[in-house]
Amino acid sequence: MRTCLPLCLSLLSAVLLPCGGLDVSDICTHCSCQYLASAHLTETICTADHPVLEVNCTTKPSVRQNPNQFLNAPTTSNASVVVWLSYKHAGLTSLHPFAQFSSYNVTLLSLDHNKLVYIPPRGLTALKNLHTVTASHNDINSVAPDAFKGLKHLRYVDLSFNSLHLLDFKLVLDAVNLISLNLRNNLVKTVIAPESPINTLESLDLSVNKIPDFPLLFFSSFPKLIYLNISYNELGTLPADSFHDLSKLKVLDASGIQVSALDRKVVENLKALNRLYLSENFLSEATFVEVLPALTALDLRRNNLTTLGDKLLSSSLQRLVISHNRLTDLSHVFKVFNQLKSLDAGWNPSTQFPEHVRAGLQELILDGTQLRSWPAQRPGEGGIDHLSLSHIPGITALGPYAFSGILKNKNESGKCVFLKISNTSLSTIDEDAFTDIDICKLDLSHNQLRWVPESLLRWDTLVAVDLQHNPWHCDCALQWMLSTVVPLAYRTDQQLLAELRCASPPELAGDRLVHWYNHKERVLCGPTKHDAMLTPKARTVEDGPLPQLVVTVSSSPLMIAVLLCLSIVAAMLVILAFALQRRALRNRKMRRNRRF
């Protein structure tokens, strides 16, 4: 890389020579030009033969550009410079002929965020070396069948977020090297299959359209597909031979296509599939997983699942999302999928914690369930490092060793534990609840906690702790929080202090604990909490490179009386001074009048 970069820079300098090198005055006087020769790009796009010139025709060229900044560079030709051409946000309503760029090696054209409605026949022919065309976020409702005629090197086409109603694959007939086609967020209702297979296409996105069905054996025209997204269309069903020839497919997204059942014949030929997304459908069972030997991730959120059965369906699945279903019993999950590392089963009407959490499970999310307690796990059985139990009103207390055998203990290697228990009815935590648990991130926000024991954790070792939105009772028993938790949050993330407030006693209600940050006295341990508030408090706030001293004075009846007396005295002195000044002016005027 070190030897390539100077060579790249010398070649880039050549294009700015007024004579003997590449003359870019015809485009760089109308468009903003920038040479991409940074070190992180060197290995991929900056070679001895192909420096990259980024041309932005939305903005005007910089008047400070110095064409003589590289005077001793070798010459190069137009064709040796790779040009990336951008018309983003240029307000285009129609395509330019691009004739002025015909002699340049333009490989990327961006037409995003314009007002284009039509791509005409051979509209891009002048840019014969194009690899990538993006025209997303326009109003394109029609593309001529030969719009990309002559573009033999075209690999990536993005026409997402437009208004296309018809998809005819004749438009990419000449793109013999096409790898990716993105038509997301259009209005496509009709799809016409290609006349011959497109053997190079690896990624096809037809999501968020209005497609009711696909032609017979449509996907067989793309035997090399690796990624397919047909989500949020109006399909309703998937015929048994839909994906018959997609033996290389690794990712399939069929979320929101309104299917109520998925026959295993539909997916039985997808032997390489490792990620399957079927969220927001009407599925009531998942036995089709049995014929997907390579599947590692499955998303079935927002379906109609009531049970997963008790038969082993997959030994390869590692991540399962089954949230927002109708599952009342989660005890069989680890029998059905015995190699799970991540399980999101939140927002199901389940009332019981899974009986035995498998040792390999690392992430467990049970938010929004109806849990009230969980059985004691065998010590060492669980190794979870991410547990979320939020939005569960039934959680009111955590007893001793509450997570023994569930969360990863301190003797195990790997990541430390992130525990989230928020938006519950939790009001009591035993001091041994987290014993031997290696917690480094803790979220206990939005609960009913008035106090937690200092011995609960080694608070100074936490990476982050959120205790906001609890009705804290600020007395001497909570003084330790001012000394430990507040400084920790102040150093790591000050947003975690915004709503860390006292709820009682009444004289402290609503006060933020950061109010006493860096206070040397034990302000919550005075003779009374009221006396603590009467004492002027000084705290140091680290704001920028230099600390500032902020003094906060609290009110009391005695102090109010003193301030009132001082105010009256000050007012009388002002009135007296005003009277004396008027008298002095009157005397001076009388002396002046005597002279005459």
Side-chain angles (χ1 to χ4, degrees):
M1 182 182 294
R2 291 181 179 179
T3 57
C4 176
L5 184 56
L7 183 57
C8 290
L9 291 172
S10 63
L11 285 169
L12 289 176
S13 65
V15 301
L16 291 176
L17 288 176
C19 59
L22 174 62
D23 182 10
V24 295
S25 60
D26 57 337
I27 57 174
C28 290
T29 54
H30 301 286
C31 302
S32 177
C33 298
Q34 178 183 3
Y35 293 95
L36 304 179
S38 57
H40 71 282
L41 294 173
T42 301
E43 291 183 336
T44 56
I45 66 170
C46 187
T47 66
D49 296 323
H50 299 287
V52 174
L53 175 65
E54 185 180 52
V55 180
N56 187 343
C57 290
T58 304
T59 61
K60 295 181 179 180
S62 173
V63 295
R64 297 182 179 180
Q65 185 172 352
N66 180 9
N68 299 316
Q69 56 184 317
F70 305 110
L71 290 177
N72 298 317
T75 61
T76 184
S77 65
N78 292 20
S80 67
V81 177
V82 172
V83 176
W84 292 353
L85 183 58
S86 174
Y87 280 89
K88 284 185 180 179
H89 296 282
L92 297 180
T93 57
S94 61
L95 287 184
H96 296 299
F98 300 110
Q100 71 271 37
F101 299 101
S102 60
S103 61
Y104 297 95
N105 184 19
V106 180
T107 63
L108 182 149
L109 174 63
S110 176
L111 300 168
D112 302 330
H113 296 278
N114 281 288
K115 300 177 182 179
L116 299 174
V117 295
Y118 178 57
I119 299 182
R122 300 177 179 268
L124 305 173
T125 303
L127 308 177
K128 58 183 180 298
N129 291 326
L130 274 179
H131 289 185
T132 302
V133 175
T134 64
S136 66
H137 295 86
N138 280 276
D139 297 319
I140 299 172
N141 55 49
S142 179
V143 180
D146 53 351
F148 302 121
K149 188 76 173 179
L151 302 181
K152 302 292 184 182
H153 304 287
L154 193 60
R155 296 182 181 180
Y156 305 96
V157 176
D158 184 354
L159 296 174
S160 60
F161 294 91
N162 280 290
S163 303
L164 292 170
H165 290 80
L166 170 69
L167 173 57
D168 187 346
F169 274 84
K170 288 181 180 179
L171 67 91
V172 292
L173 190 61
D174 266 22
V176 294
N177 292 302
L178 189 66
I179 293 176
S180 174
L181 178 61
N182 186 355
L183 291 160
R184 179 182 178 86
N185 271 96
N186 275 274
L187 302 172
V188 176
K189 292 184 177 181
T190 304
V191 178
I192 300 177
E195 296 176 355
S196 58
I198 301 178
N199 293 318
T200 59
L201 195 66
E202 297 179 357
S203 175
L204 178 60
D205 191 340
L206 301 175
S207 61
V208 197
N209 278 283
K210 299 181 180 297
I211 303 172
D213 54 45
F214 290 102
L216 184 65
L217 299 177
F218 170 72
F219 293 107
S220 297
S221 301
F222 318 108
K224 299 293 181 65
L225 269 185
I226 295 175
Y227 172 86
L228 175 60
N229 191 341
I230 56 172
S231 62
Y232 300 101
N233 279 285
E234 300 174 359
L235 296 172
T237 60
L238 289 173
D241 55 0
S242 295
F243 312 120
H244 186 268
D245 295 314
L246 300 185
S247 59
K248 297 183 181 297
L249 193 68
K250 293 184 177 181
V251 181
L252 173 60
D253 192 341
S255 302
I257 60 172
Q258 305 174 29
V259 294
S260 56
L262 186 62
D263 194 310
R264 62 179 60 200
K265 292 181 180 180
V266 176
V267 295
E268 63 182 358
N269 289 327
L270 304 180
K271 302 303 182 184
L273 193 70
N274 57 45
R275 282 183 287 167
L276 177 58
Y277 302 94
L278 291 167
S279 62
E280 299 189 57
N281 282 295
F282 305 106
L283 300 173
S284 57
E285 54 86 22
T287 56
F288 56 84
V289 178
E290 208 170 8
V291 297
L292 298 172
L295 195 66
T296 60
L298 175 62
D299 188 344
L300 289 169
R301 78 186 74 194
R302 297 186 184 278
N303 276 278
N304 292 331
L305 297 174
T306 57
T307 181
L308 294 173
D310 55 6
K311 178 183 177 182
L312 178 65
L313 294 181
S314 175
S315 294
S316 62
L317 196 70
Q318 297 181 8
R319 174 170 173 74
L320 175 63
V321 181
I322 50 175
S323 60
H324 295 88
N325 276 280
R326 301 178 182 178
L327 296 166
T328 57
D329 185 2
L330 302 175
S331 59
H332 298 299
V333 173
F334 302 110
K335 295 180 181 179
V336 177
F337 304 108
N338 61 3
Q339 296 298 318
L340 281 182
K341 293 183 178 180
S342 174
L343 172 62
D344 182 351
W347 304 100
N348 279 286
S350 174
T351 58
Q352 295 183 346
F353 196 86
E355 289 183 3
H356 296 292
V357 178
R358 64 170 302 272
L361 192 69
Q362 298 172 0
E363 180 182 43
L364 179 59
I365 300 174
L366 297 173
D367 298 342
T369 55
Q370 299 177 16
L371 299 182
R372 295 186 177 275
S373 62
W374 44 87
Q377 305 287 315
R378 293 192 297 271
E381 184 179 355
I384 295 173
D385 55 39
H386 183 177
L387 176 62
S388 185
L389 300 171
S390 299
H391 297 277
I392 305 177
I395 297 180
T396 59
L398 297 178
Y401 308 98
F403 300 98
S404 176
I406 298 175
L407 296 179
K408 186 174 74 68
N409 61 50
K410 293 180 179 179
N411 297 324
E412 297 180 30
S413 59
K415 296 190 299 183
C416 55
V417 172
F418 172 35
L419 175 61
K420 181 176 182 180
I421 306 177
S422 67
N423 291 278
T424 72
S425 301
L426 181 64
S427 60
T428 305
I429 302 179
D430 187 89
E431 63 179 355
D432 292 323
F434 301 149
T435 298
D436 295 328
I437 302 300
D438 187 18
I439 295 178
C440 63
K441 294 182 180 180
L442 179 64
D443 185 350
L444 294 175
S445 62
H446 293 274
N447 290 303
Q448 299 301 317
L449 295 169
R450 291 169 51 82
W451 170 82
V452 290
E454 182 178 4
S455 58
L456 181 67
L457 286 167
R458 287 188 57 191
W459 299 92
D460 57 342
T461 64
L462 297 182
V463 175
V465 56
D466 190 352
L467 301 176
Q468 299 180 99
H469 295 284
N470 280 283
W472 297 110
H473 181 68
C474 294
D475 61 3
C476 195
L478 211 64
Q479 176 67 40
W480 68 268
M481 195 179 290
L482 294 180
S483 307
T484 306
V485 174
V486 172
L488 171 66
Y490 201 92
R491 291 193 307 269
T492 57
D493 186 354
Q494 296 183 17
Q495 292 183 354
L496 299 178
L497 294 170
E499 295 301 327
L500 185 60
R501 299 177 182 270
C502 300
S504 59
E507 58 266 23
L508 300 182
D511 286 356
R512 299 166 62 198
L513 268 68
V514 72
H515 181 74
W516 296 286
Y517 174 66
N518 247 6
H519 198 284
K520 294 181 180 179
E521 298 179 9
R522 295 171 61 83
V523 295
L524 299 183
C525 293
T528 65
K529 277 76 68 177
H530 190 61
D531 291 340
M533 286 302 295
L534 295 178
T535 306
K537 299 176 288 295
R539 60 185 178 91
T540 301
V541 181
E542 298 175 4
D543 185 12
L546 295 177
Q548 300 176 355
L549 184 66
V550 180
V551 178
T552 304
V553 180
S554 303
S555 62
S556 70
L558 178 61
M559 185 177 294
I560 292 174
V562 171
L563 290 175
L564 183 60
C565 291
L566 290 175
S567 299
I568 294 172
V569 171
M572 292 177 65
L573 289 174
V574 170
I575 294 171
L576 180 60
F578 181 74
L580 290 174
Q581 185 181 20
R582 292 290 302 271
R583 181 177 179 181
L585 289 173
R586 189 166 53 250
N587 291 338
R588 190 181 307 165
K589 185 176 181 181
M590 290 174 64
R591 285 195 298 270
R592 190 184 306 119
N593 291 337
R594 289 194 191 104
R595 296 176 186 176
F596 300 97

